Amino acid sequence: MSELVQRASQQLTELVRGEMRLAQAEMKEKGKHYGKGGGLFGGAGVVGFLMLQALVATAIAAVAVAVPVWAAGLIVTAVLGVIAAVLAMRGKKQVDQAAPPTPEQMVENVKADVAEIKESAHR
């Protein structure tokens, strides 16, 4: 009987180790894909940024049809400045709504749990 228990224990250990090796190999493979995907997203971000720069140059050229080039550049820069300011103000509002960065509800729940444990310990 003890030999059967020992063999079962050994087989279970080998099974767990095998599953751990399989999980490790699977995670390694997934990590490679995540790394490649991250690099591709980074490349897409760079190309997208260059695209936006080209779009700004196009906007300046379009406005330059009606006004001198320097004025067109100034007008497009001012419009982009206003957009940046609006986005910054909205972003600040969102960050202010998130402050303070503590999980207040979780803290209150833990305090209530501790109080409950103390109360049941005193009974």
Side-chain angles (χ1 to χ4, degrees):
M1 182 71 163
S2 67
E3 184 180 327
L4 287 175
V5 170
Q6 184 180 10
R7 281 181 38 203
S9 175
Q10 183 180 12
Q11 288 175 348
L12 181 62
T13 302
E14 289 174 11
L15 178 65
V16 168
R17 285 183 182 158
E19 291 296 328
M20 291 299 291
R21 283 192 298 273
L22 178 62
Q24 184 180 19
E26 185 179 349
M27 293 306 292
K28 185 177 179 181
E29 187 66 28
K30 286 185 178 194
K32 287 180 184 178
H33 289 288
Y34 277 121
K36 288 178 184 176
L40 291 170
F41 275 127
V46 169
V47 172
F49 182 68
L50 293 173
M51 179 201 66
L52 288 176
Q53 289 179 335
L55 182 63
V56 168
T58 303
I60 292 171
V63 175
V65 170
V67 296
V69 175
W70 67 267
L74 188 61
I75 291 168
V76 171
T77 300
V79 169
L80 291 174
V82 169
I83 292 170
V86 168
L87 291 173
M89 288 187 304
R90 291 183 71 189
K92 184 180 182 322
K93 184 178 178 183
Q94 290 295 317
V95 169
D96 288 344
Q97 288 178 354
T102 56
E104 295 169 351
Q105 187 176 4
M106 190 257 337
V107 170
E108 291 301 319
N109 287 345
V110 168
K111 286 180 181 178
D113 292 344
V114 168
E116 182 69 29
I117 291 169
K118 283 182 180 179
E119 184 180 317
S120 48
H122 288 297
R123 287 188 228 170

